[in-house]
Amino acid sequence: MPEYRPEPQAFSSPVTRSAIFIVATLANGDGHADIVRAWCADVAPVVRAVGHRVPSGKLSCVCGFGSSAWDRLFGGPRPAALHPFREYGSGERVAVATPGDLLLHIRADSMDLCFELATQLLGKLGDAIRVVDEVHGFQNFDMRAMIGFVDGTENPTGREAVDFTAIGDEDAEFAGSSYVIVQKYLHDMAGWNALPVEKQELIIGRKKLSDIELDADVKPSSSHSSLTTLDENGQEVKILRDNMPFGRPGAGEFGTYFIGYARSPAPIEQMLENMFVGRPPGNYDRLLDFSRAVTGSLFFVPSADLLEALADRSAPAAVVRQHE
Ligand code: HEM
């Protein structure tokens, strides 16, 4: 008999040209939790129905649940490392925590597919949730972030991507599941563009045009690349990112939607601490002099099998008691 391994949700699917990120909170009131639980079994068939209309469109959707939402919807057992998003930094430079019970990360090569799937999935949820943030992201020229540098180069791929993102024996009951952190950043593009390219390259740690990493003897320890490179017992610990630029030029809004998946929140949190507080403290990421985090949430991403099975969970005892 082959070993049964739960299938992760589609977070390591290929990069796409478009994405919609939706963060929602659960509405209070009778019956709403039942609607969200039942919806968990609808996600895969709805993705199939919409995606099948354009087979080459690479449509996918990943769903995640925040810490308190998990307790309210599903109760125990709970994922070992699930907790609310922790803030990092102080003063001008803070990785803020903002409300988030449910995340939808919808991707496709064209926005019409993303739009249709978002409409169908939100339609089924109805009043059971309240959307608190919705961002429509686009792929920018040759994979460039809003700040003009190529983004995603050091992402793990293939087997490595699964190893760094899917929970294994450390929390066997949730094998194949994952964690994701999202943050919405707004950039001061006038300030950033006023910097000479050589200064921008020292801040990122790579060449802007060619995307080649700066040599170790010129790359500052405060560069974005240095501060987000983690070493554990001589082994690099990676995360899987699928950031997207977004914005409204007419409103002067230029942003990056950061999204990072990992098998534990710890490496992403360590990167945030390095960026916002500094490694060592004070040696922070100068990208943050031109970028402000305006949202921040942490979600648990059940495996595809678990997501479907969650529909059959009954209301947690504490919640049932509240309504008696
Ligand atoms: C303002 C938002 C951000 C922008 C515009 C941005 C942009 C970039 C760019 C251009 C690179 C270099 C190419 C590559 O992807 O390997 C990079 C690398 C990276 N970023 Fe970010 N990033 C942002 C926020 C974050 C955050 C919040 C984290 C983690 C908490 C993060 C983690 C990483 C990691 C792990 C790498 C690869 C480092 C390496 O191995 O060299 N980034 N980012």
Side-chain angles (χ1 to χ4, degrees):
M1 281 277 280
E3 191 194 346
Y4 166 72
R5 287 218 195 125
E7 178 74 19
Q9 287 193 59
F11 44 79
S12 60
S13 56
V15 289
T16 56
R17 298 209 58 81
S18 307
I20 296 183
F21 304 89
I22 290 172
V23 172
T25 52
L26 300 179
N28 285 319
D30 284 348
H32 286 150
D34 296 337
I35 293 176
V36 180
R37 267 192 300 276
W39 174 88
C40 291
D42 288 338
V43 177
V46 173
V47 174
R48 272 199 301 278
V50 176
H52 191 62
R53 291 160 62 185
V54 187
S56 60
K58 296 200 231 155
L59 180 70
S60 68
C61 174
V62 176
C63 312
F65 299 94
S67 180
S68 64
W70 179 274
D71 294 336
R72 216 178 123 193
L73 292 169
F74 312 117
R78 79 193 310 281
L82 181 58
H83 55 256
F85 181 81
R86 296 174 180 144
E87 293 199 342
Y88 293 90
S90 58
E92 294 278 278
R93 220 172 39 249
V94 185
V96 291
T98 50
D101 289 331
L102 177 70
L103 170 76
L104 296 184
H105 177 199
I106 296 176
R107 285 183 283 182
D109 263 344
S110 60
M111 188 47 89
D112 54 357
L113 277 171
C114 296
F115 193 91
E116 173 67 7
L117 185 58
T119 307
Q120 294 289 350
L121 290 177
L122 292 177
K124 284 187 174 288
L125 287 165
D127 293 341
I129 57 146
R130 194 169 68 84
V131 173
V132 289
D133 192 39
E134 172 172 345
V135 170
H136 293 204
F138 61 93
Q139 194 60 257
N140 191 20
F141 297 106
D142 32 300
M143 312 287 293
R144 290 181 190 271
M146 184 58 83
I147 55 165
F149 282 74
V150 175
D151 199 0
T153 314
E154 295 296 341
N155 260 336
T157 54
R159 184 74 241 163
E160 213 194 16
V162 178
D163 289 347
F164 279 118
T165 51
I167 295 171
D169 292 342
E170 72 274 26
D171 194 8
E173 200 164 350
F174 294 99
S177 301
S178 187
Y179 294 90
V180 62
I181 283 182
V182 295
Q183 287 181 297
K184 182 159 117 176
Y185 284 91
L186 297 178
H187 303 295
D188 164 16
M189 287 307 289
W192 177 253
N193 286 332
L195 290 181
V197 167
E198 293 71 22
K199 278 233 163 93
Q200 295 180 351
E201 292 176 338
L202 292 172
I203 290 175
I204 297 298
R206 304 183 82 95
K207 295 298 256 182
K208 192 170 186 181
L209 182 63
S210 67
D211 187 34
I212 301 294
E213 195 176 348
L214 298 187
D215 288 336
D217 54 340
V218 286
K219 187 164 108 173
S221 60
S222 64
S223 71
H224 182 64
S225 149
S226 306
L227 291 171
T228 55
T229 300
L230 302 183
D231 181 288
E232 212 174 80
N233 309 321
Q235 293 276 52
E236 194 174 341
V237 181
K238 294 195 171 200
I239 65 170
L240 185 66
R241 294 162 290 133
D242 196 11
N243 300 355
M244 279 270 179
F246 69 89
R248 290 178 300 152
E253 181 188 83
F254 299 93
T256 298
Y257 201 89
F258 166 80
I259 182 159
Y261 292 92
R263 65 193 283 171
S264 151
I268 312 177
E269 292 173 332
Q270 183 64 58
M271 289 173 190
L272 287 174
E273 182 167 346
N274 295 350
M275 287 174 65
F276 282 79
V277 179
R279 183 175 69 187
N283 191 43
Y284 70 92
D285 190 333
R286 269 48 183 190
L287 182 54
L288 298 175
D289 290 344
F290 305 91
S291 317
R292 188 164 54 91
V294 294
T295 70
S297 306
L298 163 62
F299 302 91
F300 171 73
V301 179
S303 69
D305 307 57
L306 177 58
L307 179 64
E308 199 183 331
L310 286 173
D312 298 327
R313 288 242 186 146
S314 41
V319 176
V320 173
R321 268 200 304 278
Q322 266 174 28
H323 289 277
E324 275 167 2

